[in-house]
Amino acid sequence: MARRQSQKEDNLVRILRYALGVAPAEFALLPDDEGWVPVKELLAALHQEEGWKHLRQGMLNDAASRLVPELVELDDKRIRVSERSFQPPDYGAAPPAHLYLGARRKAWPVLKRRGLEETHDGRPWILSATPEAALRLGERRDSEPVLITVQAHQASDQGALFPAWGEYFLCAWAPAACLMGPPIEETVIPKKPAKPKPAPAGPAMPAADSMPGSFLVDPDDVEKPYKRKGITKDIPWKRERRKDRRGK
């Protein structure tokens, strides 16, 4: 049992060292200038790798605090390794005529209007040379990503840059006119129907004995009086009839 656990820990250190320090481009991960990668992106990338669907934040915390604190560093929502040997993006590479992006459905209407711009944290988009690879990357952010085609040559003529990042290409800006995708109506996510609100409760009825002129009915009072204990069944008109019969 201890040997198996030790092997799992060694594998974890090995994959972190490789994905963050040696070949992040193979996982479509783009560290910043200081080597940081968002933890969320690392988990999404490794979950697509065979044998790593079980990876969780706690395991990364363990690697940084106990296993190899000299190698793995966690900072809030970012992670990096101290030993980094990967090459920077290649700005001399020539992109193909078309590149592809797997975008979130909610993002496509904005991209269609504004084009590609740097993300909120100032990082470029990662594009693929094939639709299949683009959709696979898009599934990290949306279960049903939208496939967007980027006309790279036309965008390059307008000043866009597409440096190569392993088998992928980066793009910090591309005009909206160079993006092609499905009709916006087809990508709108339907809203879930609102749950019906419960009908407001009516005013509470006051207790029967609290209403003027009211009283509680005893079930015994409803029954025939002669069926109650201690009461004899004696009806006057029947009594008179019996007397008449005896007098004859």
Side-chain angles (χ1 to χ4, degrees), residues 70-107:
E70 73 283 357
L71 173 68
V72 180
E73 183 179 359
L74 275 173
D75 176 23
D76 193 16
K77 298 181 180 180
R78 303 180 301 168
I79 187 172
R80 68 177 178 180
V81 293
S82 58
E83 301 173 4
R84 300 186 293 274
S85 59
F86 54 83
Q87 296 299 312
D90 181 8
Y91 282 84
H98 294 100
L99 292 172
Y100 303 92
L101 170 66
R104 294 185 301 117
R105 285 169 288 175
K106 290 184 178 180

Side-chain angles (χ1 to χ4, degrees), residues 11-12 15 26-27 43-55 136 140:
N11 290 340
L12 174 60
I15 192 69
E26 288 188 18
F27 302 86
L43 291 174
L46 294 185
H47 285 170
Q48 290 184 322
E49 300 296 319
E50 185 177 357
W52 288 105
K53 294 183 182 298
H54 66 285
L55 185 62
R136 188 167 186 268
R140 298 179 183 180

Side-chain angles (χ1 to χ4, degrees), residues 122-163:
R123 299 194 306 149
W125 297 82
I126 299 180
L127 309 180
S128 302
T130 65
E132 294 78 14
L135 290 174
R136 188 167 186 268
L137 294 184
E139 289 173 354
R140 298 179 183 180
R141 300 178 294 272
D142 192 318
S143 59
E144 298 179 10
V146 175
L147 181 64
I148 299 174
T149 301
V150 181
Q151 301 179 76
H153 289 179
Q154 295 183 22
S156 296
D157 293 340
Q158 300 184 47
L161 299 176
F162 299 94

